[in-house]
Amino acid sequence: PVPPAPPPGAGLGGPQRGGNLGGPIAAPHTPPAPPGFAANPTPPTHPGTGDGPPPPRKNPPPPPPGAPRLSRKPHLVTQAGIARTFQNIRLFANMTVLENVLVGRHTRTREGLWSALLRTPAFTRAEHHSTQRAMELLDFTGLAAKRDHLARNLPYGEQRKLEIARALASEPGLLLLDEPTAGMNPQETRATQELVHAIRDRGTAVLVIEHDMRFIFGLCDRVAVLVQGRKLTEGTPRTVQADTRVIAAYLGTTDTPPTNTTPDTTGDATGDAP
């Protein structure tokens, strides 16, 4: 708003703002803008036009060629064909066994919100196909009879199997297993070993990270040993077992024991079964 004009005579007898008695009257004083506000705000403009709303926010640029896929967002990694399980079980505890596996199908379906709300024929077909595929995986892991059980009610070993079934639901080419036998008894460990062999026989590459050396050497075709985050050696199980550096790192001695000795202490090893 424009302030009112000064009263007559303000330049003669009233207080002066820009000169001595009888001098020119200064422009009306404008109070300073509050903190965080511009004194003379201007509306946002679109570059190149001078008016209109600001440009829409752009998506981040794609990673450069050759960038590791694991640097991308998790759903993009899954779409690329890499699935994983976790050292600590991360199931949806209040969902059924079947529903947990169906969650793993989300990157392999194209139906969206509206098709789900309207129950379109395409959505019905996709839902039927996903359910059929999920039941095949539950049968493969031995959990088909518990399809309607809540995940939290399963025994520990079966919860591990359910995590693997959910990972397989995304149809990966590479499956990453982070300590799949942690906390298992010998019977459950043996069952997990048989399951991983069956996954490999279906044509899926498997990378296992595990502290149980006996499990690794009995499972994997190729083993890499890590010490303090660095790779110490890599090769076949027999070669790694006979490596004096591995023996020194895990048994605390440089003496070479017989080649059939299997270190059974806590350590880090990765194995793959392509």
Side-chain angles (χ1 to χ4, degrees), residues 6-39:
L12 298 177
Q16 304 300 310
R17 298 180 183 268
N20 298 325
L21 183 63
I25 301 175
H29 174 67
T30 302
F37 293 85

Side-chain angles (χ1 to χ4, degrees), residues 199-210:
I199 294 172
R200 179 194 61 182
D201 294 341
R202 291 162 64 102
T204 301
V206 183
L207 176 66
V208 183
I209 300 176
E210 183 57 71

Side-chain angles (χ1 to χ4, degrees), residues 6-79:
L12 298 177
Q16 304 300 310
R17 298 180 183 268
N20 298 325
L21 183 63
I25 301 175
H29 174 67
T30 302
F37 293 85
N40 294 303
T42 56
T45 59
H46 189 287
T49 62
D51 56 4
R57 183 177 180 181
K58 296 181 180 180
N59 293 327
R69 286 182 173 177
L70 293 181
S71 66
R72 301 180 182 180
K73 295 182 179 180
H75 70 280
L76 297 179
V77 175
T78 304
Q79 288 178 359

Side-chain angles (χ1 to χ4, degrees), residues 207-210 213 216-217 220-227 230-237 240 246 250 267-272:
L207 176 66
V208 183
I209 300 176
E210 183 57 71
M213 300 294 100
I216 284 290
F217 288 139
C220 297
D221 300 326
R222 193 167 186 84
V223 177
V225 179
L226 306 180
V227 176
R230 296 184 178 181
K231 185 169 72 172
L232 181 64
T233 186
E234 180 179 355
T236 64
V240 171
V246 176
Y250 289 103
D268 291 322
T270 63
D272 64 273

Side-chain angles (χ1 to χ4, degrees), residues 9-264:
L12 298 177
Q16 304 300 310
R17 298 180 183 268
N20 298 325
L21 183 63
I25 301 175
H29 174 67
T30 302
F37 293 85
N40 294 303
T42 56
T45 59
H46 189 287
T49 62
D51 56 4
R57 183 177 180 181
K58 296 181 180 180
N59 293 327
R69 286 182 173 177
L70 293 181
S71 66
R72 301 180 182 180
K73 295 182 179 180
H75 70 280
L76 297 179
V77 175
T78 304
Q79 288 178 359
I82 301 177
R84 66 164 296 183
T85 63
F86 298 88
Q87 178 179 354
N88 298 321
I89 294 177
R90 297 186 182 182
L91 295 172
F92 297 99
N94 293 321
M95 295 172 62
T96 67
V97 170
L98 177 60
E99 290 170 342
N100 268 273
V101 180
L102 287 172
V103 169
R105 295 286 304 168
H106 77 284
T107 59
R108 302 305 174 205
T109 56
R110 299 180 179 275
E111 306 307 315
L113 174 63
W114 290 110
S115 61
L117 293 176
L118 299 176
R119 307 293 295 184
T120 62
F123 174 83
T124 303
R125 289 192 299 269
E127 185 179 42
H128 175 74
H129 176 72
S130 293
T131 302
Q132 184 179 16
R133 176 58 178 159
M135 286 304 303
E136 292 175 358
L137 292 172
L138 289 179
D139 185 65
F140 173 70
T141 54
L143 299 175
K146 298 185 177 182
R147 54 170 290 175
D148 296 323
H149 291 211
L150 292 180
R152 65 185 181 187
N153 294 334
L154 294 180
Y156 181 83
E158 292 184 347
Q159 290 187 13
R160 286 286 186 184
K161 288 184 176 181
L162 180 55
E163 269 208 323
I164 294 175
R166 182 179 63 183
L168 292 174
S170 64
E171 301 178 3
L174 172 62
L175 176 62
L176 311 178
L177 303 178
D178 187 0
E179 299 194 27
T181 64
M184 288 188 176
N185 59 43
Q187 292 77 16
E188 293 171 334
T189 299
R190 189 159 42 251
T192 301
Q193 185 173 357
E194 294 173 356
L195 177 59
V196 174
H197 275 138
I199 294 172
R200 179 194 61 182
D201 294 341
R202 291 162 64 102
T204 301
V206 183
L207 176 66
V208 183
I209 300 176
E210 183 57 71
H211 292 283
D212 187 342
M213 300 294 100
R214 199 178 299 275
F215 173 77
I216 284 290
F217 288 139
L219 173 70
C220 297
D221 300 326
R222 193 167 186 84
V223 177
V225 179
L226 306 180
V227 176
Q228 297 182 349
R230 296 184 178 181
K231 185 169 72 172
L232 181 64
T233 186
E234 180 179 355
T236 64
R238 183 179 296 274
T239 302
V240 171
Q241 283 178 296
D243 194 308
T244 56
R245 295 172 298 173
V246 176
I247 297 169
Y250 289 103
L251 298 182
T253 176
T254 57
D255 297 331
T256 305
T259 56
N260 60 352
T261 300
T262 301
D264 192 20

